[in-house]
Amino acid sequence: MKIVIAPDSFKGSMSATEVCDIVEGSILKIMPTAKIVKIPISDGGEGLVEALVRHQSGEIIKIKTKDPLFREITAIYGILNGEVAVIEMSAASGLPLLADDERNPLKTSTYGTGEMIADAIRRGCHKIILGLGGSATNDGGLGVANALGVRFYDQNMELLAPVGENLSRVRTIDTSQVKPALQEVEIVIACDVDNVLCGVQGAAAIYGPQKGANSEMVIFLDQGLSMFGQLLEKKTARKLVKLKGIGAAGGMALPLVALFKSQLKSGLDIVLDEIGFEAAIDGADMIITGEGKTDAQSVMGKVISGVGKRGKNLNIPVVVISGALDDGYDHL
């Protein structure tokens, strides 16, 4: 038998690679001649770099960058075939980098993630795959854009620090210091939520509290995102504020989509396409997938639903091993 093991990570417990190894060991005890194909999967958030670097024999790059509070840290990203960079924003701008009492989306920034993108471009990468998720920020992408050369000024033409509390103060967006090479780089942003920029389903209202925002901060940040988004709409003549997914990770993708060659795409589809998943499962007798908790959200572009759909297309049975079942899992 050919059995494909293709799980997500079990968040807080095991990486997808660890799950693959455990399942493989159990199968081989009973079926020692089975052909096992292990494909750890990420939906574009946690584990994106590991999943793609592992499958494509990529290279891990370590660099000095900034954490959400501008402190120097070492972060990693991957390069595939010498020209495609895979970056998880959480590596430099993630919530786990902060202590609980440091969480404050007025003061945090995505600047470090921008430094990682800039480093990849200096190394000759022509495409960036950027995974959103797990962010400590609500800066509307001020930080990432600033690290790429964009400058933001207030009404008095004073240079603004790229943090959430300054969103509402931006009056001028200066792109004159952006390197021309950046405009030729394709940036694919892995995003699996539909949140718009602001309002009741916006970045601040939905995700602000987990990043340390109280009710007053949520209102202030929401207003700032709205003002900054409208300013970018005027500058680019593009509809941005109500674009589905633009509210992910504190609106980080906003200036990337507005000012650069960027597009939002399902993280899972990016991963499955990059690793050639359908070719890998061809001829399989069974696929085993899994995740930490299976519920209504699992249907919404998560690993097990994507793996399940592609298995179904090829008439391959798919088994889910889950850490927990919660409301809505039966829809799968």
PDB file of all heavy atoms in Angstrom, residues 262-276:
ATOM      1  N   SER A 262       1.863  42.870  -5.447  1.00  0.00           N
ATOM      2  CA  SER A 262       1.476  41.882  -4.440  1.00  0.00           C
ATOM      3  C   SER A 262       0.045  41.416  -4.664  1.00  0.00           C
ATOM      4  O   SER A 262      -0.798  42.164  -5.158  1.00  0.00           O
ATOM      5  CB  SER A 262       1.585  42.484  -3.041  1.00  0.00           C
ATOM      6  OG  SER A 262       2.865  43.011  -2.815  1.00  0.00           O
ATOM      7  N   GLN A 263      -0.207  40.178  -4.244  1.00  0.00           N
ATOM      8  CA  GLN A 263      -1.565  39.636  -4.323  1.00  0.00           C
ATOM      9  C   GLN A 263      -1.832  38.750  -3.116  1.00  0.00           C
ATOM     10  O   GLN A 263      -0.923  38.115  -2.578  1.00  0.00           O
ATOM     11  CB  GLN A 263      -1.759  38.826  -5.605  1.00  0.00           C
ATOM     12  CG  GLN A 263      -0.801  37.637  -5.732  1.00  0.00           C
ATOM     13  CD  GLN A 263      -1.106  36.759  -6.915  1.00  0.00           C
ATOM     14  OE1 GLN A 263      -2.274  36.457  -7.189  1.00  0.00           O
ATOM     15  NE2 GLN A 263      -0.085  36.326  -7.636  1.00  0.00           N
ATOM     16  N   LEU A 264      -3.082  38.757  -2.674  1.00  0.00           N
ATOM     17  CA  LEU A 264      -3.515  37.880  -1.596  1.00  0.00           C
ATOM     18  C   LEU A 264      -3.985  36.559  -2.188  1.00  0.00           C
ATOM     19  O   LEU A 264      -4.694  36.539  -3.191  1.00  0.00           O
ATOM     20  CB  LEU A 264      -4.665  38.518  -0.818  1.00  0.00           C
ATOM     21  CG  LEU A 264      -4.352  39.820  -0.060  1.00  0.00           C
ATOM     22  CD1 LEU A 264      -5.644  40.470   0.411  1.00  0.00           C
ATOM     23  CD2 LEU A 264      -3.448  39.549   1.113  1.00  0.00           C
ATOM     24  N   LYS A 265      -3.589  35.456  -1.561  1.00  0.00           N
ATOM     25  CA  LYS A 265      -3.954  34.139  -2.072  1.00  0.00           C
ATOM     26  C   LYS A 265      -4.097  33.174  -0.906  1.00  0.00           C
ATOM     27  O   LYS A 265      -3.463  33.348   0.136  1.00  0.00           O
ATOM     28  CB  LYS A 265      -2.868  33.647  -3.043  1.00  0.00           C
ATOM     29  CG  LYS A 265      -3.209  32.376  -3.800  1.00  0.00           C
ATOM     30  CD  LYS A 265      -2.124  32.036  -4.812  1.00  0.00           C
ATOM     31  CE  LYS A 265      -2.432  30.737  -5.541  1.00  0.00           C
ATOM     32  NZ  LYS A 265      -1.369  30.390  -6.528  1.00  0.00           N
ATOM     33  N   SER A 266      -4.921  32.166  -1.061  1.00  0.00           N
ATOM     34  CA  SER A 266      -5.063  31.134  -0.037  1.00  0.00           C
ATOM     35  C   SER A 266      -3.706  30.524   0.280  1.00  0.00           C
ATOM     36  O   SER A 266      -3.005  30.024  -0.606  1.00  0.00           O
ATOM     37  CB  SER A 266      -6.014  30.036  -0.518  1.00  0.00           C
ATOM     38  OG  SER A 266      -5.805  28.839   0.213  1.00  0.00           O
ATOM     39  N   GLY A 267      -3.340  30.559   1.567  1.00  0.00           N
ATOM     40  CA  GLY A 267      -2.052  30.005   1.960  1.00  0.00           C
ATOM     41  C   GLY A 267      -1.939  28.533   1.647  1.00  0.00           C
ATOM     42  O   GLY A 267      -0.893  28.044   1.202  1.00  0.00           O
ATOM     43  N   LEU A 268      -3.022  27.812   1.876  1.00  0.00           N
ATOM     44  CA  LEU A 268      -2.992  26.372   1.617  1.00  0.00           C
ATOM     45  C   LEU A 268      -2.786  26.083   0.136  1.00  0.00           C
ATOM     46  O   LEU A 268      -2.012  25.191  -0.236  1.00  0.00           O
ATOM     47  CB  LEU A 268      -4.279  25.723   2.115  1.00  0.00           C
ATOM     48  CG  LEU A 268      -4.352  24.215   1.914  1.00  0.00           C
ATOM     49  CD1 LEU A 268      -3.214  23.509   2.639  1.00  0.00           C
ATOM     50  CD2 LEU A 268      -5.693  23.676   2.384  1.00  0.00           C
ATOM     51  N   ASP A 269      -3.472  26.832  -0.724  1.00  0.00           N
ATOM     52  CA  ASP A 269      -3.297  26.618  -2.164  1.00  0.00           C
ATOM     53  C   ASP A 269      -1.862  26.902  -2.585  1.00  0.00           C
ATOM     54  O   ASP A 269      -1.302  26.200  -3.442  1.00  0.00           O
ATOM     55  CB  ASP A 269      -4.265  27.506  -2.954  1.00  0.00           C
ATOM     56  CG  ASP A 269      -5.695  26.990  -2.905  1.00  0.00           C
ATOM     57  OD1 ASP A 269      -5.882  25.791  -2.617  1.00  0.00           O
ATOM     58  OD2 ASP A 269      -6.629  27.782  -3.135  1.00  0.00           O
ATOM     59  N   ILE A 270      -1.260  27.936  -1.995  1.00  0.00           N
ATOM     60  CA  ILE A 270       0.140  28.241  -2.303  1.00  0.00           C
ATOM     61  C   ILE A 270       1.014  27.045  -1.966  1.00  0.00           C
ATOM     62  O   ILE A 270       1.841  26.602  -2.768  1.00  0.00           O
ATOM     63  CB  ILE A 270       0.618  29.477  -1.509  1.00  0.00           C
ATOM     64  CG1 ILE A 270      -0.091  30.743  -1.994  1.00  0.00           C
ATOM     65  CG2 ILE A 270       2.136  29.641  -1.626  1.00  0.00           C
ATOM     66  CD1 ILE A 270       0.165  31.953  -1.112  1.00  0.00           C
ATOM     67  N   VAL A 271       0.827  26.517  -0.757  1.00  0.00           N
ATOM     68  CA  VAL A 271       1.662  25.404  -0.300  1.00  0.00           C
ATOM     69  C   VAL A 271       1.454  24.160  -1.158  1.00  0.00           C
ATOM     70  O   VAL A 271       2.416  23.545  -1.644  1.00  0.00           O
ATOM     71  CB  VAL A 271       1.386  25.090   1.182  1.00  0.00           C
ATOM     72  CG1 VAL A 271       2.090  23.802   1.605  1.00  0.00           C
ATOM     73  CG2 VAL A 271       1.822  26.250   2.066  1.00  0.00           C
ATOM     74  N   LEU A 272       0.198  23.776  -1.363  1.00  0.00           N
ATOM     75  CA  LEU A 272      -0.083  22.550  -2.116  1.00  0.00           C
ATOM     76  C   LEU A 272       0.423  22.646  -3.554  1.00  0.00           C
ATOM     77  O   LEU A 272       0.934  21.665  -4.105  1.00  0.00           O
ATOM     78  CB  LEU A 272      -1.584  22.244  -2.093  1.00  0.00           C
ATOM     79  CG  LEU A 272      -2.170  21.901  -0.711  1.00  0.00           C
ATOM     80  CD1 LEU A 272      -3.665  21.624  -0.825  1.00  0.00           C
ATOM     81  CD2 LEU A 272      -1.455  20.731  -0.066  1.00  0.00           C
ATOM     82  N   ASP A 273       0.293  23.821  -4.155  1.00  0.00           N
ATOM     83  CA  ASP A 273       0.794  23.996  -5.523  1.00  0.00           C
ATOM     84  C   ASP A 273       2.320  23.970  -5.571  1.00  0.00           C
ATOM     85  O   ASP A 273       2.911  23.352  -6.468  1.00  0.00           O
ATOM     86  CB  ASP A 273       0.279  25.313  -6.117  1.00  0.00           C
ATOM     87  CG  ASP A 273      -1.216  25.281  -6.400  1.00  0.00           C
ATOM     88  OD1 ASP A 273      -1.796  24.184  -6.430  1.00  0.00           O
ATOM     89  OD2 ASP A 273      -1.811  26.369  -6.569  1.00  0.00           O
ATOM     90  N   GLU A 274       2.972  24.645  -4.613  1.00  0.00           N
ATOM     91  CA  GLU A 274       4.435  24.713  -4.603  1.00  0.00           C
ATOM     92  C   GLU A 274       5.069  23.335  -4.405  1.00  0.00           C
ATOM     93  O   GLU A 274       6.123  23.045  -4.968  1.00  0.00           O
ATOM     94  CB  GLU A 274       4.925  25.670  -3.511  1.00  0.00           C
ATOM     95  CG  GLU A 274       4.710  27.153  -3.810  1.00  0.00           C
ATOM     96  CD  GLU A 274       5.652  27.698  -4.864  1.00  0.00           C
ATOM     97  OE1 GLU A 274       6.772  27.161  -5.012  1.00  0.00           O
ATOM     98  OE2 GLU A 274       5.276  28.671  -5.545  1.00  0.00           O
ATOM     99  N   ILE A 275       4.439  22.483  -3.597  1.00  0.00           N
ATOM    100  CA  ILE A 275       5.044  21.179  -3.307  1.00  0.00           C
ATOM    101  C   ILE A 275       4.584  20.094  -4.274  1.00  0.00           C
ATOM    102  O   ILE A 275       5.029  18.948  -4.175  1.00  0.00           O
ATOM    103  CB  ILE A 275       4.753  20.730  -1.860  1.00  0.00           C
ATOM    104  CG1 ILE A 275       3.252  20.452  -1.658  1.00  0.00           C
ATOM    105  CG2 ILE A 275       5.256  21.748  -0.861  1.00  0.00           C
ATOM    106  CD1 ILE A 275       2.913  19.954  -0.254  1.00  0.00           C
ATOM    107  N   GLY A 276       3.716  20.437  -5.234  1.00  0.00           N
ATOM    108  CA  GLY A 276       3.245  19.449  -6.197  1.00  0.00           C
ATOM    109  C   GLY A 276       2.440  18.341  -5.533  1.00  0.00           C
ATOM    110  O   GLY A 276       2.665  17.146  -5.758  1.00  0.00           O
TER     111      GLY A 276
END
